[in-house]
Amino acid sequence: MLTDCRRIAEPSEARHTLRMSPLQQTKLFLVEHLDLAKDALHIYVALTVFLGTCLLLRWKAAQWKPWLAVLVVAVIGEAWDLRDSLTYHTRIDLWGNGKDLWNTMLAPTILMLAARHTRVFQR
């Protein structure tokens, strides 16, 4: 998700935020003002979507549905990043997109597997 943000966040390019989509501007704002590592934003979004769908939709962490919701959000985010790269003529970084998907999906995968195969989530 942060592929374009990673390139534009460099000091020499930071003044060109007007050439970024609102999504990229929002990600850059969060990274700068919350003092986050860029990759941490993926983990926070993943946990918010995973746990949020469990709470709001009453899905169980052991089900595939919250995990799939995170995957859908992650793929849409990466597709948006690719679209922005084409629109704003920035470098396409498929390796970075893959890394972003990995970062986004790791925690929800661990939570789902722990809920399925351990007693961690049992009352």
Side-chain angles (χ1 to χ4, degrees):
M1 284 184 176
L2 293 174
T3 343
D4 294 328
C5 189
R6 195 175 299 121
R7 285 188 300 281
I8 296 174
E10 296 173 9
S12 63
E13 299 179 26
R15 292 180 286 278
H16 300 299
T17 57
L18 295 177
R19 294 189 55 216
M20 295 188 321
S21 72
L23 175 67
Q24 302 305 330
Q25 290 177 14
T26 301
K27 291 190 295 187
L28 185 58
F29 176 86
L30 291 172
V31 166
E32 287 179 353
H33 290 83
L34 297 178
D35 196 28
L36 290 174
K38 294 173 189 108
D39 290 336
L41 194 54
H42 290 275
I43 297 165
Y44 292 147
V45 168
L47 291 173
T48 300
V49 171
F50 187 86
L51 297 172
T53 56
C54 288
L55 290 171
L56 295 173
L57 301 174
R58 297 184 186 262
W59 291 344
K60 304 288 185 210
Q63 293 177 311
W64 58 270
K65 291 187 265 187
W67 183 90
L68 185 62
V70 176
L71 181 62
V72 167
V73 168
V75 168
I76 289 170
E78 293 309 313
W80 196 332
D81 281 351
L82 290 171
R83 177 213 159 265
D84 285 351
S85 290
L86 294 171
T87 301
Y88 298 101
H89 306 291
T90 57
R91 184 175 59 88
I92 293 176
D93 180 14
L94 295 178
W95 181 259
N97 293 108
K99 182 181 140 207
D100 290 346
L101 282 172
W102 168 260
N103 276 337
T104 305
M105 295 309 300
L106 182 61
T109 301
I110 291 170
L111 289 173
M112 182 185 69
L113 292 174
R116 285 183 176 192
H117 301 293
T118 70
R119 295 177 186 219
V120 171
F121 290 96
Q122 292 180 354
R123 291 185 181 188

